[in-house]
Amino acid sequence: MEENRKTRILVAVKLTQSSSGKGYPYASESSKAVFEWILTNIVRTNVTRFELQLLHVHSPHSPYTKDFEAVKMMEYFGSRCQRISVGFSSEIRLGDDPKIAICNEVKRVNPDLLVMGTTPTPFSFQRVFRRNVSVITEYCLKHAECHVTIVEARADDQS
């Protein structure tokens, strides 16, 4: 193994879908939680050892997503990376099926780790039987050609 090789972490992020306007054009709470979790628990102070590859996939037909909103969200994460001097790159991909696009991006960039977020839900059928993992996350767990880590945003982090 190369001594100077950086660990590449692909981070799947998404825009908030709040209709209140609060948060636009910002990342969803689960994406913010994932990002902060990576910085706190993986990168820590060893910023020269890691490179974050930020990925946002959106449908060209989605009413929630417009190019400028996705760019603003990526600028938010990029500015956080620059402030602490961790290497990063960002990609915005159009696709009708995010789970396929994420797995294709894993094949293309060959990261060491894919990190995705999920938002906790109140007691529900989904929470009991599917462990609160979205269809997209579940698909990526099974099909991504790298290790996958799921970070759940805490209920008290939700606004």
Side-chain angles (χ1 to χ4, degrees):
M1 188 164 119
E2 297 175 35
E3 291 295 320
N4 295 328
R5 185 181 171 282
K6 290 186 178 194
T7 300
R8 290 173 295 145
I9 302 172
L10 181 61
V11 186
V13 295
K14 64 181 182 175
L15 289 166
T16 183
Q17 294 185 3
S18 168
S19 59
S20 68
K22 179 184 176 194
Y24 275 108
Y26 301 105
S28 68
E29 292 300 317
S30 65
S31 294
K32 288 179 189 177
V34 165
F35 186 77
E36 294 302 325
W37 183 86
I38 290 168
L39 294 181
T40 302
N41 296 291
I42 297 177
V43 173
R44 299 180 186 190
T45 59
N46 196 5
V47 295
T48 59
R49 180 74 174 93
F50 295 94
E51 179 182 333
L52 302 183
Q53 299 170 319
L54 306 166
L55 172 65
H56 172 63
V57 178
H58 66 263
S59 168
H61 312 295
S62 173
Y64 299 112
T65 318
K66 296 186 176 121
D67 289 338
F68 69 91
E69 292 170 340
V71 168
K72 286 288 193 188
M73 178 185 65
M74 294 308 231
E75 288 173 355
Y76 166 80
F77 287 120
S79 68
R80 289 278 287 122
C81 289
Q82 287 175 336
R83 269 187 264 155
I84 64 168
S85 301
V86 68
F88 76 98
S89 62
S90 60
E91 293 286 334
I92 299 171
R93 298 275 185 225
L94 290 177
D96 287 319
D97 195 343
K99 64 185 184 284
I100 301 296
I102 291 168
C103 287
N104 286 342
E105 192 70 6
V106 165
K107 285 180 187 175
R108 187 182 79 78
V109 302
N110 194 26
D112 298 298
L113 178 66
L114 168 64
V115 182
M116 304 176 73
T118 186
T119 306
T121 56
F123 186 80
S124 68
F125 180 80
Q126 179 185 16
R127 178 106 170 132
V128 171
F129 294 102
R130 294 188 67 228
R131 295 174 294 137
N132 196 33
V133 176
S134 74
V135 173
I136 295 168
T137 303
E138 188 173 305
Y139 182 90
C140 292
L141 275 168
K142 292 178 182 175
H143 299 288
E145 295 178 3
C146 70
H147 296 286
V148 180
T149 297
I150 309 302
V151 177
E152 181 176 85
R154 294 184 192 152
D156 58 350
D157 290 343
Q158 305 299 305
S159 46

